[in-house]
Amino acid sequence: MKRKTPLAAAVLAAAMVLTACGGSPTAGVGAPKVDDHAKEVYDEINGLSGEERTDKLVEMAEEEGKLVLYTSNTDMDSLVEAFEKKYDITVEPTRGNSETVLQRLTTEGNSGNVSTDLVETNSGELNILAQEGFLYDYESEYRDAVREDGQLEGWTADRFNAFVVAWNTDKVKSSEIPSEVADFADPKWDGKVALEIGDVDWFAAVSNYYLDQGKSQAEVDKMWTDIAANASVEKGHSTMGDMLAAGKLHVVLSSYSHTVDGLAGEDKAPVTWKRGEEYVAPVVTRPNGAGLMATAKHPAAATLFMDFLLSEGQQYIAEDFRSTAVPQSDDPLAGVETIPVPEGEMLEDYDRWDRAYRELVGG
């Protein structure tokens, strides 16, 4: 399988434009000032609870009548439709990949004209936006119900993505799949595995996992070099899922579990990430969520959508085979031992990890 020409220069532009001295991925971002009206609304709603909060919030939000949403979630349509059906509010969603969402917001921030009221995307981008003052604190009983690792500074998780090793069962026998990511360094996997070009946080998490297991840095580096020698490099988890289902890829080392479960459950595709109750370690989780914009023109509508995301919206997230932020009895990751992406390292030392991964995948 030929290695594809990566698009890293374009894809990483949003993140790299934020990289400056000291390795900080946020230097140079022009954060907008907090809008006085938005602050007044947020503070009023944050101070309320129960039925009083709900009644006041719905009244204010429907008076605004509109919500502008930026998101990288490919499964947002059902949530938006349900929200619009329940409330007299029109949602204007703009979707792109997480890098595009971040780039658009930082460009708007530098121009002093941020258009969106709410952003829903990956943790790395949300951490940057929170650190640079784009987001406003959200307080509610719904946030309190979110699992602790989903209550982040400046934003709140509504779902968790799990990076898993997935395979096409028509192309590879499940009995042949090893128990560890490191085992795919074996030359017998040459031309049978694929890496995703932007999965820097997954790469960092797996690297730290093996360092914690006692491998030396040299051993971890060699593991990755050998894995990369066996691998094609692709772009986009949805695209990779489709390629895996079609048999164009045999094994994807960092697929999203919900993509695989959806393809297997809805499309009956010959794909899986489990052999019975067994899976390839490590499984890496990353919180994805939403943040209220400090400059929101429709702050009440943004807050109401946050409440909806973390209450009724969780059922729509679960129906898309995702792991919800509010614990559910039928969590698809129940019984799976997971490790988190190193969010602190991604925020403080992104450049080092990004450079190492781009050198590995040819970016």
Side-chain angles (χ1 to χ4, degrees), residues 283-360:
V283 172
V284 178
T285 56
R286 179 186 66 207
N288 290 30
L292 303 171
M293 300 305 296
T295 53
K297 296 178 177 63
H298 310 97
T303 306
L304 185 61
F305 195 84
M306 282 289 293
D307 284 6
F308 181 80
L309 268 179
L310 299 177
S311 55
E312 296 173 49
Q314 292 290 287
Q315 75 182 53
Y316 296 96
I317 291 171
E319 288 170 2
D320 290 323
F321 303 94
R322 294 177 182 266
S323 184
T324 56
V326 178
Q328 308 285 322
S329 59
D330 56 349
D331 187 340
L333 297 181
V336 177
E337 186 173 347
T338 64
I339 62 171
V341 298
E343 293 189 63
E345 289 186 47
M346 290 296 95
L347 192 60
E348 297 170 9
D349 202 11
Y350 177 85
D351 188 48
R352 176 174 71 89
W353 287 108
D354 175 64
R355 183 170 58 250
Y357 192 61
R358 285 189 292 125
E359 289 175 354
L360 182 74

Side-chain angles (χ1 to χ4, degrees), residues 73-90:
N73 187 349
T74 56
D75 297 320
M76 186 57 77
D77 289 351
S78 58
L79 283 159
V80 169
E81 290 171 6
F83 181 79
E84 289 183 321
K85 184 176 181 179
K86 183 169 185 177
Y87 302 109
D88 187 19
I89 298 169
T90 300

